[in-house]
Amino acid sequence: MDTADSPLTYRDATDADVDALVALIESAYRGDSSRAGWTTEADILQGQRTDPQGVLEVVKAPDSRLLTVEREGRIVACCQLEHRGAHAYFGMFAVSPALQGEGLGKTIIAEAERRARETWGATEMHMTVISVREDLIAWYERRGYRRTGETTPFPYGDERFGIPQRDDLRFELLVKPLA
């Protein structure tokens, strides 16, 4: 069976998944391995994207889940969903660089939106994206997300979020109605 045709399975991450999830997230965003996919941040940020403590906090948080996506028993993607009242927050989204461009991202974000709507009754999905990531923002816009113009500062000096390679980074809020 062609692995690209194998079904995806979704489950909540457990403590046992933390190391594999950190490796996946790092591979999708940082270093040379990330350049195999199109979501790399290697040219704007060096250092780490996350760490075991950060991932474990998401796994353990009461109003949060780290949705783990597997194909043939291997973790191939993940995303954070957090219940924040009328809306849900979507973050920590990573797809294995070797599998990017196959439509997995579209499938996974649609499933995350469905779960936020059905589980929590969320009417909107919110996310923040580094504002200079125009290609990534355009991808989310094609999925129905809209730029709000609302930004928050990048945490310069906190290496848990990476080592910035430029001085104009900030996060922009993107929102999508889930009606």
Side-chain angles (χ1 to χ4, degrees), residues 151-172:
T151 62
T152 52
F154 186 87
Y156 284 92
D158 187 341
E159 291 190 7
R160 290 177 304 162
F161 298 95
I163 303 165
Q165 302 302 296
R166 46 193 291 178
D167 62 6
D168 62 345
L169 302 182
R170 62 190 188 286
F171 294 107
E172 183 171 353

Side-chain angles (χ1 to χ4, degrees), residues 2 8 26 32 36 49 51-53 70 77 84 88 93 97 137 140 145 158:
D2 183 354
L8 299 175
E26 292 296 314
D32 287 337
R49 177 65 152 61
D51 57 31
Q53 179 184 342
E70 293 178 325
R84 296 185 179 176
F93 188 28
I137 290 171
Y140 284 121
Y145 287 81
D158 187 341

Side-chain angles (χ1 to χ4, degrees), residues 33-108:
S33 67
S34 70
R35 294 179 196 281
W38 67 273
T39 60
T40 183
E41 294 172 343
D43 293 328
I44 59 172
L45 289 161
Q46 293 180 355
Q48 69 178 32
R49 177 65 152 61
T50 191
D51 57 31
Q53 179 184 342
V55 171
L56 189 59
E57 285 171 8
V58 172
V59 170
K60 295 287 194 193
D63 287 327
S64 178
R65 62 181 33 136
L66 190 53
L67 193 59
T68 301
V69 184
E70 293 178 325
R71 179 183 275 160
E72 297 182 342
R74 285 186 26 254
I75 296 173
V76 296
C78 67
C79 63
Q80 173 191 9
L81 290 172
E82 186 176 318
H83 186 205
R84 296 185 179 176
H87 75 270
Y89 178 80
F90 179 84
M92 216 175 269
F93 188 28
V95 174
S96 171
L99 301 176
Q100 289 177 20
E102 293 183 9
L104 279 183
K106 287 183 248 191
T107 301
I108 293 163

Side-chain angles (χ1 to χ4, degrees), residues 85-143:
H87 75 270
Y89 178 80
F90 179 84
M92 216 175 269
F93 188 28
V95 174
S96 171
L99 301 176
Q100 289 177 20
E102 293 183 9
L104 279 183
K106 287 183 248 191
T107 301
I108 293 163
I109 198 168
E111 177 64 14
E113 292 164 356
R114 186 191 69 76
R115 287 175 182 239
R117 193 172 47 248
E118 291 183 7
T119 305
W120 296 318
T123 57
E124 284 185 337
M125 186 78 88
H126 291 197
M127 71 172 70
T128 55
V129 178
I130 296 173
S131 60
V132 299
R133 299 289 317 278
E134 295 292 340
D135 54 343
L136 186 58
I137 290 171
W139 188 86
Y140 284 121
E141 286 178 316
R142 291 191 298 275
R143 315 269 100 60

